Amino acid sequence: MNKLSNSLAQADIATSLHPYTNARRHEEKGPLVISRGKGIHVYDEHGKEYIEALAGLWSVAVGFDEPRLVEAAHKQMQALPYYHSFAHKAHEPSIRLAEKLAEMTPQGLDRVFFTSSGSEANDTVVKMAWYMNNALGRPEKKKFLARTKGYHGITVASGSLTGLPYNHVDFDLPAIPVHHLTCPHHYRFGHEGESEAEFTQRLLAEAEEVILREGPETIAGFIGEPLMAAGGVMPPPEGYWKGIEALCRKHDILLIADEVINGFGRLGSSFGAVHYGFTPDIMVLSKQLTSSYMPLAAVVFSEKVYDAIADNTGRIGTFGHGFTASGHPVATAVGLENLKIIEERDLMGNATRMGARLQEGLRQYADHPLVGEVRGAGLIAGLELVVDKASKRAFDPVGKVGLAAFEIGHEEGMIIRNVGDTLALCPPLIVTEGDIDEIVARMGRILDRTQDHVSREGLA
């Protein structure tokens, strides 16, 4: 076993460049090789068990060994392992899944375009908006509004929409016209003495000031995650999304909900837009769409957007955009079966019930010396670690303590994610009461051991 492990590690170090990884540190540290999964657990090549408390990458709804998804992929592989959707071609799995997504998403979102990732989907949204506005004789309406700390992917266009420094530095991004507004996180970005309601009004005033300064005729779309996830698990302040929706309607700006992480029950509601009470023009879906068993994403959009695009294809002859794997038959077959499982087993309802237990359990750590804020909704949560609770002072440099907690988590048999010094949790939707209680207990041990590490290393 050790020989196998060493061989795999050495081969990985010798050949692979890992995403979101310090390559030089990886050469010294090597990989944690995951060999199999079962339920909410994964196992490394030595057989050690871990609670996968981030659901892979915020994405595995039904657990890591769902036989129905394996069978759906196998059956489709035997019937039609691949076909494209270019030039009037289609196949049943993609047709049925598009039909299902139009049924599940909020009223008015009835058209679907498939890609293989959320990044590709958000890239597609940018191109759709540009194409639509050119078709409508509005060539200046090309800019986007996004938010600091928002995450929308890593292609050139979607990476530009993302509001995280590491996604921009030395990549020459943003490369498209985008304005990043204040992150809607009251704990970290509210002014001293500013209430949540006042914070909301300040952010809405800022958004409208930017719109008016740039000119509404130049703003194509506003994109946001209903609950910001990869930037640090940040729910919006009360009234924020209704206010943003009103601004978009007032100034004829497309409202784009990035539901890649929020969608299909993560917050305890069907979608984040439903949870926060607004209706987008475009919704972007991925991750839990297939529980990440297959790469798949979808752009679901209104008839108004479709008509503008379709009319232009009639004029110029085509919609010159698409991917070899758009609507891949195996991926869409798996997606269909995955959504059936979510509905049949009431996993959205389970997220509501178990999410309440998770949020309540984690809030017992609000008094922990390291914890500045516990936050989240449904089955997604974050605990922000700080030097001083009263002043909210962050560690310097940010991320060093979070990384220590992340690695202690491995020792405790739980995979979490550190977003800087925020510890993120996002377990599969199949979690039980016992699973939640164990996740909360292990988080307590991680916090205590991290506090010992901070004291020992003099990091405070």
Side-chain angles (χ1 to χ4, degrees):
M1 183 67 75
N2 287 336
K3 183 176 181 181
L4 173 63
S5 175
N6 289 337
S7 174
L8 285 172
Q10 289 165 4
D12 180 73
I13 290 167
T15 58
S16 297
L17 176 64
H18 285 253
Y20 287 88
T21 302
N22 179 329
R24 295 304 185 199
R25 186 171 187 267
H26 187 71
E27 290 170 3
E28 299 173 359
K29 183 179 176 59
L32 174 64
V33 179
I34 301 298
S35 298
R36 65 186 181 91
K38 184 174 179 59
I40 70 163
H41 298 92
V42 294
Y43 301 81
D44 68 21
E45 77 275 27
H46 303 298
K48 181 174 178 177
E49 180 184 85
Y50 304 82
I51 295 174
E52 226 310 350
L54 202 80
L57 278 176
W58 324 83
S59 57
V60 179
V62 300
F64 289 87
D65 67 332
E66 177 49 61
R68 284 174 56 178
L69 299 192
V70 176
E71 177 58 27
H74 179 242
K75 184 178 178 181
Q76 186 58 45
M77 278 279 190
Q78 289 180 314
L80 182 68
Y82 168 73
Y83 211 71
H84 63 83
S85 54
F86 285 38
H88 309 288
K89 303 299 190 299
H91 45 75
E92 185 173 359
S94 69
I95 294 169
R96 295 302 183 202
L97 184 58
E99 189 177 46
K100 182 64 176 174
L101 292 176
E103 173 194 311
M104 290 182 71
T105 51
Q107 187 172 1
L109 301 180
D110 298 322
R111 297 287 180 167
V112 181
F113 185 94
F114 289 113
T115 73
S116 294
S117 71
S119 293
E120 289 177 351
N122 279 323
D123 205 280
T124 295
V125 167
V126 169
K127 292 180 70 178
M128 286 172 64
W130 289 349
Y131 186 93
M132 180 186 84
N133 284 318
N134 285 332
L136 294 174
R138 307 186 300 195
E140 293 184 353
K141 203 169 180 66
K142 301 293 172 61
K143 299 173 186 175
F144 284 83
L145 301 179
R147 287 92 57 78
T148 301
K149 291 189 175 290
Y151 185 80
H152 303 293
I154 44 73
T155 60
V156 170
S158 65
S160 295
L161 297 174
T162 289
L164 298 168
Y166 283 127
N167 293 103
H168 292 170
V169 66
D170 290 337
F171 287 112
D172 293 342
L173 297 180
I176 67 169
V178 55
H179 293 268
H180 288 97
L181 304 172
T182 298
C183 174
H185 179 206
H186 181 246
Y187 172 81
R188 186 50 70 189
F189 295 98
H191 292 163
E192 186 173 355
E194 185 177 47
S195 70
E196 185 173 307
E198 291 167 339
F199 178 62
T200 297
Q201 290 309 307
R202 175 163 64 86
L203 265 55
L204 295 177
E206 175 200 33
E208 185 154 41
E209 188 275 326
V210 171
I211 292 167
L212 295 176
R213 185 185 72 221
E214 297 298 319
E217 72 280 1
T218 74
I219 310 294
F222 180 108
I223 187 169
E225 305 153 90
L227 179 149
M228 299 172 80
V233 185
M234 293 168 288
E238 183 77 22
Y240 175 81
W241 274 112
K242 285 188 177 294
I244 290 293
E245 181 179 22
L247 284 176
C248 289
R249 301 292 173 245
K250 177 180 177 181
H251 296 293
D252 192 20
I253 293 168
L254 290 174
L255 180 55
I256 304 149
D258 185 335
E259 298 266 5
V260 168
I261 291 175
N262 289 199
F264 304 108
R266 174 54 56 188
L267 306 185
S269 302
S270 55
F271 298 99
V274 173
H275 191 77
Y276 294 113
F278 69 98
T279 302
D281 300 291
I282 299 174
M283 186 177 277
V284 179
L285 308 171
S286 189
K287 292 191 183 288
Q288 293 190 148
L289 175 56
T290 65
S291 286
S292 288
Y293 278 48
M294 291 292 292
L296 183 66
V299 180
V300 189
F301 52 102
S302 69
E303 205 71 23
K304 174 184 173 182
V305 174
Y306 172 80
D307 283 341
I309 291 172
D311 286 348
N312 203 43
T313 67
R315 282 190 290 270
I316 69 175
T318 188
F319 181 56
H321 175 81
F323 304 93
T324 302
S326 291
H328 192 286
V330 180
T332 48
V334 169
L336 265 174
E337 191 66 17
N338 180 69
L339 296 184
K340 287 180 184 176
I341 292 169
I342 288 174
E343 290 187 332
E344 288 171 13
R345 299 178 186 171
D346 188 28
L347 294 187
M348 294 187 195
N350 193 59
T352 302
R353 295 183 293 273
M354 294 305 102
R357 193 178 186 92
L358 177 69
Q359 302 297 332
E360 181 183 0
L362 292 175
R363 274 165 175 72
Q364 70 182 279
Y365 301 126
D367 294 331
H368 193 280
L370 273 187
V371 177
E373 184 182 42
V374 181
R375 54 183 180 259
L379 282 176
I380 185 169
L383 297 86
E384 184 168 340
L385 309 184
V386 295
V387 177
D388 180 71
K389 294 168 74 73
S391 67
K392 307 179 187 178
R393 183 161 63 91
F395 285 96
D396 186 15
V398 171
K400 189 173 182 180
V401 173
L403 178 60
F406 168 77
E407 293 180 339
I408 289 168
H410 287 166
E411 294 172 12
E412 291 290 338
M414 190 160 79
I415 296 174
I416 58 176
R417 186 172 186 178
N418 70 294
V419 182
D421 289 323
T422 295
L423 308 184
L425 295 162
C426 183
L429 300 189
I430 61 169
V431 287
T432 64
E433 290 185 358
D435 295 331
I436 293 294
D437 294 346
E438 185 59 29
I439 288 169
V440 170
R442 293 191 194 190
M443 180 54 71
R445 295 198 292 272
I446 292 168
L447 290 171
D448 289 343
R449 290 185 58 189
T450 303
Q451 176 66 29
D452 291 343
H453 171 81
V454 167
S455 299
R456 189 168 58 251
E457 299 296 323
L459 298 176

Short mmCIF file of all heavy atoms in Angstrom, two decimals, residues 244-272:
data_model
loop_
_atom_site.label_atom_id
_atom_site.label_comp_id
_atom_site.label_asym_id
_atom_site.label_seq_id
_atom_site.Cartn_x
_atom_site.Cartn_y
_atom_site.Cartn_z
N ILE A 244 -32.13 45.14 -5.44
CA ILE A 244 -31.36 44.96 -6.68
C ILE A 244 -32.30 44.66 -7.85
O ILE A 244 -32.14 45.19 -8.95
CB ILE A 244 -30.31 43.86 -6.50
CG1 ILE A 244 -29.19 44.31 -5.55
CG2 ILE A 244 -29.75 43.41 -7.85
CD1 ILE A 244 -28.32 45.43 -6.07
N GLU A 245 -33.28 43.80 -7.60
CA GLU A 245 -34.24 43.47 -8.66
C GLU A 245 -34.97 44.73 -9.14
O GLU A 245 -35.14 44.95 -10.35
CB GLU A 245 -35.24 42.43 -8.17
CG GLU A 245 -36.26 42.03 -9.23
CD GLU A 245 -37.24 40.97 -8.75
OE1 GLU A 245 -37.43 40.85 -7.52
OE2 GLU A 245 -37.82 40.28 -9.60
N ALA A 246 -35.37 45.57 -8.21
CA ALA A 246 -36.08 46.80 -8.58
C ALA A 246 -35.19 47.71 -9.42
O ALA A 246 -35.66 48.32 -10.41
CB ALA A 246 -36.55 47.53 -7.33
N LEU A 247 -33.91 47.81 -9.08
CA LEU A 247 -32.98 48.63 -9.86
C LEU A 247 -32.81 48.08 -11.27
O LEU A 247 -32.77 48.85 -12.25
CB LEU A 247 -31.63 48.69 -9.17
CG LEU A 247 -31.51 49.60 -7.94
CD1 LEU A 247 -30.13 49.47 -7.32
CD2 LEU A 247 -31.80 51.04 -8.30
N CYS A 248 -32.70 46.77 -11.38
CA CYS A 248 -32.53 46.15 -12.70
C CYS A 248 -33.76 46.38 -13.57
O CYS A 248 -33.64 46.68 -14.77
CB CYS A 248 -32.24 44.66 -12.55
SG CYS A 248 -30.58 44.31 -11.90
N ARG A 249 -34.94 46.27 -13.00
CA ARG A 249 -36.17 46.51 -13.77
C ARG A 249 -36.26 47.99 -14.18
O ARG A 249 -36.63 48.31 -15.31
CB ARG A 249 -37.39 46.12 -12.94
CG ARG A 249 -37.41 44.67 -12.50
CD ARG A 249 -37.60 43.69 -13.63
NE ARG A 249 -37.44 42.31 -13.16
CZ ARG A 249 -36.47 41.49 -13.54
NH1 ARG A 249 -35.57 41.90 -14.42
NH2 ARG A 249 -36.39 40.27 -13.08
N LYS A 250 -35.91 48.87 -13.25
CA LYS A 250 -36.00 50.30 -13.51
C LYS A 250 -35.09 50.72 -14.67
O LYS A 250 -35.46 51.57 -15.49
CB LYS A 250 -35.61 51.07 -12.24
CG LYS A 250 -35.59 52.58 -12.37
CD LYS A 250 -35.20 53.21 -11.04
CE LYS A 250 -35.10 54.73 -11.14
NZ LYS A 250 -34.69 55.33 -9.83
N HIS A 251 -33.89 50.11 -14.74
CA HIS A 251 -32.89 50.55 -15.71
C HIS A 251 -32.68 49.56 -16.86
O HIS A 251 -31.71 49.69 -17.60
CB HIS A 251 -31.57 50.81 -14.99
CG HIS A 251 -31.63 51.94 -14.00
ND1 HIS A 251 -31.82 53.25 -14.37
CD2 HIS A 251 -31.56 51.93 -12.63
CE1 HIS A 251 -31.84 54.02 -13.28
NE2 HIS A 251 -31.69 53.25 -12.22
N ASP A 252 -33.60 48.59 -17.01
CA ASP A 252 -33.53 47.63 -18.12
C ASP A 252 -32.19 46.90 -18.15
O ASP A 252 -31.48 46.89 -19.16
CB ASP A 252 -33.80 48.32 -19.46
CG ASP A 252 -34.03 47.32 -20.60
OD1 ASP A 252 -34.35 46.15 -20.30
OD2 ASP A 252 -33.85 47.71 -21.77
N ILE A 253 -31.85 46.29 -17.02
CA ILE A 253 -30.61 45.54 -16.87
C ILE A 253 -30.97 44.08 -16.59
O ILE A 253 -31.82 43.80 -15.74
CB ILE A 253 -29.77 46.11 -15.70
CG1 ILE A 253 -29.29 47.54 -16.05
CG2 ILE A 253 -28.59 45.22 -15.37
CD1 ILE A 253 -28.72 48.29 -14.87
N LEU A 254 -30.34 43.16 -17.30
CA LEU A 254 -30.59 41.74 -17.06
C LEU A 254 -30.15 41.36 -15.65
O LEU A 254 -29.03 41.69 -15.22
CB LEU A 254 -29.83 40.87 -18.07
CG LEU A 254 -30.31 40.91 -19.52
CD1 LEU A 254 -29.35 40.11 -20.40
CD2 LEU A 254 -31.73 40.37 -19.65
N LEU A 255 -31.01 40.65 -14.93
CA LEU A 255 -30.69 40.18 -13.59
C LEU A 255 -30.32 38.69 -13.69
O LEU A 255 -31.15 37.86 -14.09
CB LEU A 255 -31.88 40.37 -12.66
CG LEU A 255 -31.70 39.93 -11.20
CD1 LEU A 255 -30.49 40.58 -10.56
CD2 LEU A 255 -32.97 40.25 -10.40
N ILE A 256 -29.09 38.38 -13.33
CA ILE A 256 -28.54 37.03 -13.53
C ILE A 256 -28.24 36.42 -12.17
O ILE A 256 -27.41 36.94 -11.41
CB ILE A 256 -27.24 37.10 -14.38
CG1 ILE A 256 -27.50 37.81 -15.71
CG2 ILE A 256 -26.68 35.70 -14.61
CD1 ILE A 256 -26.31 38.57 -16.24
N ALA A 257 -28.91 35.32 -11.86
CA ALA A 257 -28.68 34.61 -10.60
C ALA A 257 -27.72 33.45 -10.85
O ALA A 257 -28.05 32.51 -11.58
CB ALA A 257 -29.99 34.09 -10.03
N ASP A 258 -26.54 33.52 -10.28
CA ASP A 258 -25.58 32.43 -10.35
C ASP A 258 -25.93 31.43 -9.25
O ASP A 258 -25.59 31.61 -8.08
CB ASP A 258 -24.16 32.96 -10.18
CG ASP A 258 -23.10 31.89 -10.36
OD1 ASP A 258 -23.42 30.70 -10.15
OD2 ASP A 258 -21.96 32.23 -10.71
N GLU A 259 -26.64 30.38 -9.65
CA GLU A 259 -27.15 29.37 -8.71
C GLU A 259 -26.29 28.11 -8.73
O GLU A 259 -26.74 27.04 -8.30
CB GLU A 259 -28.59 29.01 -9.09
CG GLU A 259 -29.58 30.16 -9.01
CD GLU A 259 -30.30 30.22 -7.67
OE1 GLU A 259 -29.97 29.42 -6.77
OE2 GLU A 259 -31.20 31.08 -7.54
N VAL A 260 -25.06 28.21 -9.20
CA VAL A 260 -24.21 27.04 -9.35
C VAL A 260 -24.06 26.30 -8.02
O VAL A 260 -24.08 25.07 -7.98
CB VAL A 260 -22.84 27.44 -9.93
CG1 VAL A 260 -21.83 26.31 -9.81
CG2 VAL A 260 -23.00 27.86 -11.40
N ILE A 261 -23.93 27.03 -6.91
CA ILE A 261 -23.84 26.40 -5.60
C ILE A 261 -25.18 26.41 -4.87
O ILE A 261 -25.56 25.44 -4.22
CB ILE A 261 -22.75 27.08 -4.75
CG1 ILE A 261 -21.36 26.77 -5.32
CG2 ILE A 261 -22.82 26.64 -3.28
CD1 ILE A 261 -20.22 27.50 -4.65
N ASN A 262 -25.94 27.48 -4.99
CA ASN A 262 -27.20 27.61 -4.25
C ASN A 262 -28.30 26.66 -4.72
O ASN A 262 -29.19 26.30 -3.94
CB ASN A 262 -27.74 29.03 -4.40
CG ASN A 262 -26.95 30.10 -3.64
OD1 ASN A 262 -27.45 31.18 -3.39
ND2 ASN A 262 -25.71 29.81 -3.28
N GLY A 263 -28.27 26.28 -6.01
CA GLY A 263 -29.40 25.62 -6.63
C GLY A 263 -29.68 24.21 -6.15
O GLY A 263 -28.82 23.51 -5.61
N PHE A 264 -30.92 23.78 -6.34
CA PHE A 264 -31.40 22.42 -6.04
C PHE A 264 -31.37 22.09 -4.55
O PHE A 264 -31.02 20.99 -4.15
CB PHE A 264 -30.62 21.38 -6.86
CG PHE A 264 -30.67 21.64 -8.34
CD1 PHE A 264 -29.56 22.11 -9.02
CD2 PHE A 264 -31.86 21.48 -9.04
CE1 PHE A 264 -29.62 22.39 -10.37
CE2 PHE A 264 -31.93 21.75 -10.40
CZ PHE A 264 -30.80 22.21 -11.07
N GLY A 265 -31.75 23.08 -3.74
CA GLY A 265 -32.02 22.80 -2.34
C GLY A 265 -30.95 23.15 -1.35
O GLY A 265 -31.15 22.96 -0.14
N ARG A 266 -29.82 23.65 -1.79
CA ARG A 266 -28.71 23.89 -0.86
C ARG A 266 -29.10 24.78 0.31
O ARG A 266 -28.68 24.55 1.45
CB ARG A 266 -27.54 24.50 -1.64
CG ARG A 266 -26.34 24.94 -0.81
CD ARG A 266 -25.79 23.88 0.09
NE ARG A 266 -25.40 22.66 -0.59
CZ ARG A 266 -25.04 21.55 0.03
NH1 ARG A 266 -25.07 21.49 1.36
NH2 ARG A 266 -24.71 20.47 -0.65
N LEU A 267 -29.93 25.80 0.07
CA LEU A 267 -30.32 26.72 1.13
C LEU A 267 -31.59 26.28 1.86
O LEU A 267 -32.08 26.99 2.73
CB LEU A 267 -30.53 28.13 0.56
CG LEU A 267 -29.39 28.73 -0.24
CD1 LEU A 267 -29.71 30.18 -0.62
CD2 LEU A 267 -28.07 28.67 0.52
N GLY A 268 -32.12 25.11 1.48
CA GLY A 268 -33.38 24.67 2.05
C GLY A 268 -34.57 25.10 1.21
O GLY A 268 -35.71 24.79 1.54
N SER A 269 -34.32 25.84 0.14
CA SER A 269 -35.33 26.21 -0.85
C SER A 269 -34.85 25.70 -2.20
O SER A 269 -33.67 25.40 -2.38
CB SER A 269 -35.50 27.74 -0.91
OG SER A 269 -35.88 28.26 0.34
N SER A 270 -35.77 25.62 -3.16
CA SER A 270 -35.39 25.06 -4.46
C SER A 270 -34.19 25.78 -5.06
O SER A 270 -33.23 25.16 -5.53
CB SER A 270 -36.58 25.12 -5.42
OG SER A 270 -37.08 26.46 -5.53
N PHE A 271 -34.22 27.11 -5.03
CA PHE A 271 -33.14 27.92 -5.58
C PHE A 271 -32.92 29.13 -4.68
O PHE A 271 -33.81 29.54 -3.93
CB PHE A 271 -33.48 28.38 -7.00
CG PHE A 271 -33.64 27.23 -7.96
CD1 PHE A 271 -34.91 26.77 -8.28
CD2 PHE A 271 -32.54 26.60 -8.53
CE1 PHE A 271 -35.07 25.69 -9.14
CE2 PHE A 271 -32.70 25.52 -9.38
CZ PHE A 271 -33.96 25.06 -9.69
N GLY A 272 -31.74 29.70 -4.77
CA GLY A 272 -31.44 30.87 -3.96
C GLY A 272 -32.35 32.04 -4.26
O GLY A 272 -32.74 32.79 -3.36
#
